[in-house]
Amino acid sequence: MTSLAADLPNDPDLVAAWRQGDEFAATQLVRRHGAALGRYLSSGGADSGDVEDLVQETFIRAFRSLHGWRQDGSFRGWLFRIASNLLKDGFRARRGRQMVALEDHDLVASADPASQFAADETAERIQAGIAALPRLQREVFLLRVEQGLEYAEIATALDTTPGAARVHYHHAVRRLKELVQ
Amino acid sequence: MICEALSDQMPAVARGDVVWDAEEALHFAQCAECRDEYALVAAVLSSARPAPVLDLDRIAAAVSAVGREEGKVVAIASRRRTWTRGLVGLAAAAGIALVAYSIRTDDPVAVAAVPARTTTAIPELDALLEDELKIVLASLTEEQKTLTPGPIPRLGELTEAELDALLDDVEG
Ligand SMILES: [Zn+2]
C-alpha cells in the first residue's frame, strides 16, 4: 500500500490542543472529520436539512465530554459513536425511520442508457442487500466502506471489538458479493 | 493472508486515497476473490448517496464559540478557586498580624504609643484597623485558622472587581 496523504498533526495532538483552548485545533478536527460524519449521518437516515446541525452537535458533545475520551481509543471512532447515538435519539424521536430509499440517491450519470440501467439495477440490488443485512453487519460494512473507518475505530463507534467488527464485515461481504456478480 | 491485506485497503483504494504496491497489484490481477470484493466495494461507493454539502467553517466557528463560552466558565471557576484560596491566605495572614498586634498592645507602655493604624508584616493589611483585622480573622473557619498560611497574595495582582469584593467583605 502506498499512502497519498501528507503528514498532518494527529488527532490526539489536536485534541490536546483543543482542550487547551486552541480554536484552530478544533477547526482542523472539524475539517478532518466533518464531511465523513455528514455522510454517515446522511446515509444513516438523518434529514438532509438536519445533517449540518447534527455534525455540529456531534463536535459540541465531543468537546463537552473530552474528559471521557480514552486517549488509547480512536478519536474518529469516538466521534462516530456520538453521531450514532444522535441518530438513535433521532430515530427514537421519530419512531424509527428506515434508511433512505435508493431512489433518493443521485447515481453516477452515464451517457449510455443501457449501462446506466444496469448500474441502477446493480445499485438497487446492493442497497436492498445492505438494508437486509443484520444491523451490526450493515453498520460495520457501511462504516468500513462508505466512511473508511479502520476496524479499531468501528469497534469504538459500535462498542464492540476490532476482531468482531472484522468478522461482521466479512459476513456482509460474502452475502453482498453475490449481488454484484 | 494477502487477500485479507488487500481487503483491508479496498475502501481506501476505491476512494483513491491509496494505491496498490507492486506485490498487491500482482495478487489483485490473479485473484478472482479479491476482484469480486473490490467490485462490490467500488459499486457501493459509486452508488452511495452524495456527500451532503456542509459549511465546515461555520460548524467549526460554532463549535469554537461553544468551547470559548464553556472554557470561560471553567476559567472563571478556577479563578474563583484561586481567589478564594487568596482570601483564605490573606485572612490567615491577617490572623497572624492580629496576634502580633495583640502581643504588642499587651505592653502597657506600648498601648499609649500604638496608633490606631500600625505597621504589620503584611503591607496590604497596614491600612486595616484592629476591628477590621478582627473581622477578617472572624471570617476564618476553625480549620482555616490551623492552616499554615501559604504565599500571601499581593493585592496589586487582584483585579478592581476582586478588590471591591474584598473591601465589601472587610467592610461588611
Ligand atoms: Zn486475493
Side-chain angles (χ1 to χ4, degrees):
Chain A
M1 170 189 72
T2 306
S3 174
L4 304 177
D7 282 342
L8 294 167
N10 62 29
D11 282 356
D13 287 347
L14 289 173
V15 170
W18 190 14
R19 292 180 81 154
Q20 299 298 315
D22 181 345
E23 292 185 5
F24 185 62
T27 300
Q28 283 182 288
L29 286 166
V30 170
R31 285 184 184 151
R32 180 174 295 177
H33 301 301
L37 285 168
R39 278 197 304 273
Y40 172 67
L41 289 160
S42 176
S43 69
D47 285 342
S48 55
D50 293 340
V51 171
E52 190 161 313
D53 285 346
L54 287 169
V55 171
Q56 181 178 313
E57 183 62 21
T58 300
F59 279 100
I60 289 172
R61 287 194 186 191
F63 175 78
R64 286 184 176 144
S65 51
L66 276 180
H67 57 274
W69 173 55
R70 288 181 298 111
Q71 299 270 340
D72 55 338
S74 148
F75 182 68
R76 184 161 65 149
W78 191 62
L79 283 176
F80 275 86
R81 186 172 188 162
I82 294 169
S84 169
N85 287 336
L86 282 172
L87 273 179
K88 281 182 205 153
D89 291 349
F91 282 138
R92 273 196 284 271
R94 290 173 302 174
R95 297 224 150 238
R97 256 169 71 171
Q98 287 306 304
M99 286 178 62
V100 174
L102 183 70
E103 49 269 27
D104 289 346
H105 293 200
D106 287 356
L107 298 173
V108 177
S110 166
D112 176 0
S115 66
Q116 178 63 59
F117 179 76
D120 285 358
E121 209 183 20
T122 303
E124 202 163 335
R125 277 205 312 272
I126 291 171
Q127 293 299 333
I130 291 172
L133 289 172
R135 185 187 65 83
L136 259 179
Q137 283 185 27
R138 181 176 63 246
E139 291 200 26
V140 169
F141 181 80
L142 290 176
L143 284 173
R144 181 88 192 97
V145 175
E146 286 192 355
Q147 316 309 330
L149 264 63
E150 303 295 336
Y151 290 116
E153 295 173 320
I154 294 170
T156 302
L158 301 180
D159 199 16
T160 180
T161 65
R166 186 183 284 275
V167 170
H168 286 307
Y169 177 79
H170 285 289
H171 278 308
V173 165
R174 201 178 310 148
R175 286 186 184 207
L176 295 172
K177 258 199 311 199
E178 295 158 11
L179 302 174
V180 287
Q181 283 167 349
Chain B
M1 225 30 213
I2 193 163
C3 290
E4 189 143 320
L6 262 71
S7 170
D8 284 353
Q9 299 307 322
M10 281 178 191
V13 172
R15 252 193 303 275
D17 295 340
V18 300
V19 291
W20 303 126
D21 64 24
E23 187 191 0
E24 290 163 342
L26 181 65
H27 173 87
F28 187 74
Q30 296 169 342
C31 179
E33 286 253 317
C34 279
R35 284 202 307 278
D36 286 349
E37 184 177 335
Y38 184 81
L40 168 68
V41 169
V44 169
L45 277 176
S46 68
S47 69
R49 221 180 176 196
V53 179
L54 302 176
D55 185 346
L56 293 179
D57 287 338
R58 191 203 64 75
I59 294 173
V63 170
S64 290
V66 169
R68 216 176 300 134
E69 196 60 32
E70 300 189 359
K72 231 188 263 169
V73 173
V74 171
I76 287 169
S78 59
R79 190 180 174 90
R80 184 170 295 142
R81 275 196 300 277
T82 308
W83 163 232
T84 308
R85 273 200 303 274
L87 250 188
V88 168
L90 186 59
I96 293 165
L98 190 60
V99 168
Y101 182 91
S102 306
I103 290 166
R104 266 183 303 204
T105 53
D106 283 341
D107 179 353
V109 179
V111 169
V114 172
R117 291 172 194 269
T118 189
T119 305
T120 71
I122 301 126
E124 280 79 9
L125 297 175
D126 287 351
L128 302 184
L129 299 170
E130 182 185 351
D131 283 348
E132 293 167 337
L133 285 169
K134 281 180 180 167
I135 291 167
V136 174
L137 184 61
S139 72
L140 286 172
T141 63
E142 282 307 313
E143 193 188 346
Q144 285 163 345
K145 281 177 192 169
T146 62
L147 288 175
T148 308
I152 300 162
R154 309 290 303 178
L155 293 189
E157 291 166 4
L158 301 181
T159 65
E160 208 159 307
E162 287 166 341
L163 281 168
D164 285 344
L166 175 63
L167 279 176
D168 285 347
D169 246 25
V170 170
E171 292 171 356

